[in-house]
Amino acid sequence: MSTSLSGPGPAQAPGREPAGSRPPRRRTARDHAPITVTGLAVKVVLLGLVAGIAIWAAFPLVEAEKWVGLALLAATTAGLFYLYLTRRHVPAKYLVPGTLFLIAFQVFPVLYTASTAFTNFGDGHRGSKDDAIVAIQTASVKQVPGSAEYALSVATEGDPATGPLVFLVTDPATGGVSVGDADGLRRLDPGEVTVAPGGKVTAADGYTVLTFGQASARSQEITELVVPTDNGALRSAGLSRAYEGRAVRAYDAGCDCIRDAETGRTWAADESTGSFVAADGERLAQGWKVGVGLRNFTRVLTDESISGPFLGTLVWNFAFAIGSTGGTFLLGTFVALALHSPRMRGTNLYRVLLILPYAMPSFAMLLVWRDMFNTDFGLVNDLFGLSVNWFGQEWSARAAVLLVQLWLGYPYMFLVATGALQAIPRELTEATSVDGASPWQSFRSVTLPLLLVALSPLLISSFAFNFNNFNAIYLTTEGGPFPADNPTNGATDLLITYTYRLAFGGQGAEFGFAAAISIFIFAIVAVVSAVSFRRTRRQEEVYA
């Protein structure tokens, strides 16, 4: 009788099912790697920092009664805590910080600039109407018979030369000491100050009392400082006495105007311009911020003193940007091709020498080049035996700034062209040589198109940069030379330097007007870039 030698299969562990008897369990959040102590500490610190920033930002919003902004701040903070205190939404943990920084440093500034372009925001039109009324009244304070006088010490919060000025005054009746600035008076604790006989303060906690010499150096600022009080305003009478005067000009709510008590003259409020205007058209310097619609934009197009030079400046701006970008590209590519040749020796040394202009600080090099083009002692005239007034004539000044841009910019194009050439397979150019093409034909038909596909985005960004290259002009020619009949628009001015001079010239800063011109510039660069990127995309499809 035969006996089967085959025994039972392998023993199963108690409670374990055979392999393949059930589908694998899905991975859950609990299966993630545990958070280390260091990781937990970092998370706690960062979330604590977020909470601290949110609390710090909430106080000014509450004080200004900006409830929408406060609600947005609270929602954002709560969302961040929810996101980083749970193990869900892992991709969002990486995307949210970048998105918030994008909104804070890109989207918000653009939107704020666009909104400012529709206002009269600038010097004299920064605050509200109430702020303007207070400023007008305090600026007109004069000493009248019976005005109270105080012993005065001038002090600063911080550095005596640059710190904010304050008045330390002693009340002759009570002997109390108060500190005053543009926001008003505040009584100081007697233990915080040291008062000399006669009432003059010699020391105060948190303030630096100025010596006579230090105060004399800032006498103009001391004279202009007005401290509002309940009965008028406090002004200095020299460096050791102050008086509480009365405002000559006061606001009359009945006529919504400013009245001058001495002359009887009135300035009515003009809500469309945010100014107080007299019957003969005179405007008070202090106004308030209001919306002006498209007025800043139409001013660029209709004001002949602005629109006339604007067109010529725009043409030169395009010529400068194209010349700077094209010139640096041609020279940089030519040098890169020369050093890419296998017959060249010592290429590493040449490359180090060629990128030296790129390694130097551009603002310092611009100042050096400005001196090199000096008519009397400049290196360019001395080296070539010339006597050319480079920055005194229109075309020589333009040629000079283009030459400076060529020297500063070609190393960058050389570097990127070198990298692009190394990415082009040599088999392509060798194949054209086998087919009988000359080196020029090989470059034109194969190398150059492939170079342009790789470098076109960089050329577009270089064009956008040069279109707004403020330093290149302002640090060399300052926009000059200027014609005798128009000292605001020079031959080498770009739109950005012309805008700077218009908006921040002798009449004070006009941020709204500057923002409007900035939108014009942005629109021009955006259109050029969009068209260029579309052509680049088509080129990539051809050579893909």
Side-chain angles (χ1 to χ4, degrees):
M1 183 173 71
S2 63
T3 304
S4 174
L5 300 178
S6 61
Q12 297 287 340
R16 178 179 296 178
E17 296 182 8
S21 63
R22 63 178 181 178
R25 183 170 63 88
R26 292 184 61 187
R27 190 175 180 87
T28 65
R30 294 183 178 180
D31 298 317
H32 286 227
I35 299 177
T36 64
V37 175
T38 304
L40 181 61
V42 171
K43 179 182 287 190
V44 170
V45 170
L46 291 178
L47 289 178
L49 182 62
V50 169
I53 294 174
I55 294 172
W56 169 77
F59 283 106
L61 291 174
V62 172
E63 185 178 355
E65 298 184 355
K66 302 290 185 181
W67 308 122
V68 175
L70 184 64
L72 184 62
L73 176 66
T76 303
T77 305
L80 288 174
F81 270 78
Y82 167 76
L83 178 64
Y84 289 101
L85 289 177
T86 64
R87 295 192 175 186
R88 300 169 130 193
H89 315 297
V90 175
K93 296 179 189 294
Y94 297 93
L95 292 175
V96 166
T99 304
L100 291 178
F101 279 112
L102 176 67
I103 294 173
F105 296 105
Q106 291 289 339
V107 177
F108 179 75
V110 170
L111 294 178
Y112 183 75
T113 300
S115 64
T116 302
F118 297 92
T119 69
N120 65 342
F121 183 53
D123 285 349
H125 297 83
R126 294 175 180 264
S128 64
K129 186 177 181 180
D130 291 338
D131 295 333
I133 292 171
V134 171
I136 292 171
Q137 292 181 157
T138 54
S140 66
V141 169
K142 290 184 178 181
Q143 188 171 11
V144 296
S147 295
E149 292 193 357
Y150 303 86
L152 169 68
S153 293
V154 182
T156 61
E157 298 180 72
D159 184 28
T162 59
L165 289 173
V166 297
F167 287 166
L168 297 172
V169 294
T170 305
D171 191 329
T174 63
V177 177
S178 300
V179 58
D181 55 19
D183 295 326
L185 278 176
R186 180 175 62 87
R187 182 61 66 92
L188 293 178
D189 189 281
E192 298 177 354
V193 297
T194 302
V195 183
K200 190 173 178 65
V201 177
T202 57
D205 294 348
Y207 301 97
T208 303
V209 178
L210 302 186
T211 64
F212 182 80
Q214 292 170 334
S216 297
R218 304 184 65 176
S219 59
Q220 183 65 30
E221 298 175 68
I222 295 172
T223 303
E224 294 174 353
L225 179 58
V226 180
V227 179
T229 63
D230 295 336
N231 300 319
L234 206 65
R235 303 194 74 162
S236 65
L239 299 178
S240 60
R241 305 297 295 175
Y243 65 88
E244 185 178 25
R246 304 290 182 183
V248 174
R249 294 176 179 175
Y251 177 71
D252 186 343
C255 64
D256 192 17
C257 64
I258 297 291
R259 291 186 183 277
D260 191 308
E262 290 185 344
T263 64
R265 190 176 176 84
T266 61
W267 293 264
D270 184 354
E271 298 293 344
S272 64
T273 61
S275 303
F276 288 102
V277 186
D280 59 359
E282 181 194 1
R283 297 176 184 271
L284 294 179
Q286 187 64 49
W288 62 97
K289 181 181 175 182
V290 295
V292 295
L294 298 175
R295 189 178 303 162
N296 289 324
F297 297 91
T298 57
R299 178 182 172 190
V300 177
L301 301 175
T302 59
D303 189 337
E304 294 184 359
S305 63
I306 297 174
S307 60
F310 190 89
L311 232 284
T313 302
L314 177 62
V315 173
W316 158 243
N317 206 147
F318 271 105
F320 173 81
I322 294 171
S324 299
T325 305
T328 55
F329 170 72
L330 292 176
L331 181 57
T333 303
F334 174 78
V335 176
L337 285 169
L339 295 184
H340 188 65
S341 174
R343 292 176 293 179
M344 281 290 296
R345 296 292 181 268
T347 55
N348 289 335
L349 176 62
Y350 287 125
R351 284 169 180 164
V352 170
L353 295 175
L354 287 170
I355 65 173
L356 282 178
Y358 187 62
M360 299 290 184
S362 60
F363 76 93
M365 291 298 99
L366 289 168
L367 296 176
V368 170
W369 273 99
R370 183 183 67 181
D371 290 339
M372 289 172 62
F373 279 110
N374 187 276
T375 305
D376 300 321
F377 54 83
L379 179 63
V380 175
N381 279 353
D382 289 345
L383 189 62
F384 296 101
L386 303 174
S387 59
V388 179
N389 184 8
W390 290 97
F391 296 149
Q393 302 173 23
E394 178 178 345
W395 291 105
S396 61
R398 291 176 174 177
V401 295
L402 287 174
L403 180 60
V404 173
Q405 283 301 102
L406 180 64
W407 187 84
L408 287 173
Y410 88 88
Y412 170 74
M413 290 298 177
F414 160 71
L415 290 174
V416 296
T418 298
L421 286 172
Q422 292 175 349
I424 298 175
R426 289 188 180 273
E427 293 80 2
L428 294 178
T429 54
E430 291 173 355
T432 59
S433 300
V434 172
D435 292 339
S438 65
W440 166 248
Q441 290 174 325
S442 176
F443 172 75
R444 185 184 62 183
S445 303
V446 177
T447 306
L448 182 60
L450 293 176
L451 267 179
L452 290 176
V453 168
L455 300 185
S456 288
L458 295 175
L459 291 175
I460 295 171
S461 63
S462 179
F463 171 84
F465 172 79
N466 284 314
F467 199 86
N468 293 308
N469 199 339
F470 182 88
N471 286 346
I473 301 300
Y474 204 77
L475 294 179
T476 51
T477 65
E478 296 184 356
F482 296 92
D485 58 343
N486 189 0
T488 62
N489 180 249
T492 58
D493 261 327
L494 303 182
L495 288 179
I496 189 68
T497 56
Y498 182 43
T499 301
Y500 176 81
R501 194 173 294 108
L502 284 176
F504 306 104
Q507 296 181 351
E510 297 182 69
F511 297 112
F513 181 58
I517 301 183
S518 297
I519 291 178
F520 274 113
I521 298 174
F522 171 78
I524 293 170
V525 175
V527 169
V528 172
S529 299
V531 172
S532 301
F533 274 121
R534 180 173 297 181
R535 292 177 63 89
T536 301
R537 195 175 298 113
R538 291 176 182 173
Q539 194 176 22
E540 290 175 353
E541 294 172 357
V542 171
Y543 291 97

